[in-house]
Amino acid sequence: MNWDWNAVTDFLPHFWDGLLVTLQALALGSVVSFALGLVWALLVRTPTRWVSWPVGVVTEFIRNTPLLVQLFFLFYVLPEWGLTFSALTTGVFAIGLHYSTYTMQVYRAGIEAVPAGQWEAATALNLPMRRTWTVVILPQAVRRVVPALGNYVISMLKDTPILMVITVPEMLSEARLYAQETFRFTEPLTVIGVAFILISYLASLLLRTLEQRLVR
């Protein structure tokens, strides 16, 4: 089949709509995964086993369950319990929840990498535990884990097409609908493939720049 530039032009309005939804899902999913991952990491470190043990079990279960299964569960099962959300909201939460179990491990590694002397200094200064975490420990830990967190952002970007299965109109969904209407598959799928490559590359450059600034 010959390449048709007219098909590319016709597809572009659909592409921009899908791109906006994809970036929205990525941004919100990243916020959920970063925030929830930090919560998981702090809860797992609590000395109270009736808190840390259940959190460890839950996060291990989520991490070892396919994202697609979790997505279907949230979208189809929760409404039976009276909890109904839009497809995009469900998709954002599913991606954020799934990846929060990975960012949790990243945060844990960052926290454990903070030198013991920092904890001792905070204790010597008689800093409250909350201030020790917010002023001394977490700022140092987060600086160490930015590259790893950035890698998960790119992974989340690559997983956004899975939202198509619950009718979220992201890029792949728009390409599929256009292809079904016009019987032109090469052009729309090529366009979104290039888009994913460019977005991933730009994100990696941004992360590299951010990492260099944090190292200074």
Side-chain angles (χ1 to χ4, degrees):
M1 181 179 293
N2 295 327
W3 181 268
D4 187 354
W5 285 105
N6 290 328
V8 175
T9 304
D10 292 339
F11 173 65
L12 283 180
H14 305 278
F15 165 75
W16 294 121
D17 292 339
L19 176 62
L20 181 62
V21 174
T22 296
L23 294 179
Q24 184 178 359
L26 174 63
L28 296 177
S30 298
V31 171
V32 172
S33 68
F34 292 165
L36 193 54
L38 181 58
V39 172
W40 293 139
L42 295 178
L43 290 178
V44 166
R45 288 182 58 87
T46 58
T48 308
R49 288 192 58 82
W50 66 266
V51 174
S52 59
W53 186 82
V55 170
V57 171
V58 170
T59 54
E60 192 69 20
F61 175 80
I62 295 173
R63 185 165 54 250
N64 290 283
T65 307
L67 175 57
L68 182 60
V69 174
Q70 298 168 15
L71 192 61
F72 277 163
F73 183 89
L74 294 174
F75 190 69
Y76 292 108
V77 177
L78 288 188
E80 296 182 2
W81 297 352
L83 298 173
T84 304
F85 304 97
S86 68
L88 180 58
T89 300
T90 302
V92 165
F93 183 71
I95 289 178
L97 177 64
H98 184 78
Y99 275 94
S100 69
T101 61
Y102 293 96
T103 58
M104 175 193 76
Q105 300 295 343
V106 173
Y107 284 124
R108 286 182 63 183
I111 292 171
E112 292 172 0
V114 175
Q118 298 295 314
W119 294 94
E120 296 169 357
T123 302
L125 293 173
N126 200 27
L127 292 178
M129 184 56 65
R130 175 181 293 183
R131 189 166 178 79
T132 298
W133 277 104
T134 57
V135 177
V136 180
I137 305 302
L138 288 181
Q140 296 183 63
V142 171
R143 288 181 62 182
R144 298 171 185 270
V145 301
V146 165
L149 292 177
N151 290 334
Y152 282 119
V153 171
I154 296 175
S155 295
M156 279 185 272
L157 170 66
K158 296 176 182 177
D159 275 343
T160 54
I162 202 173
L163 301 184
M164 177 182 66
V165 300
I166 59 169
T167 70
V168 175
E170 43 69 57
M171 286 194 292
L172 182 59
S173 178
E174 293 288 352
R176 182 179 64 87
L177 291 174
Y178 177 83
Q180 290 176 343
E181 293 174 357
T182 62
F183 300 101
R184 302 289 308 190
F185 289 88
T186 303
E187 292 83 5
L189 292 177
T190 301
V191 168
I192 67 167
V194 172
F196 274 111
I197 292 174
L198 290 177
I199 295 172
S200 298
Y201 179 69
L202 292 175
S204 65
L205 291 180
L206 179 62
L207 290 169
R208 192 179 309 164
T209 302
L210 181 59
E211 180 182 1
Q212 291 173 349
R213 293 198 175 191
L214 290 175
V215 170
R216 294 177 184 175

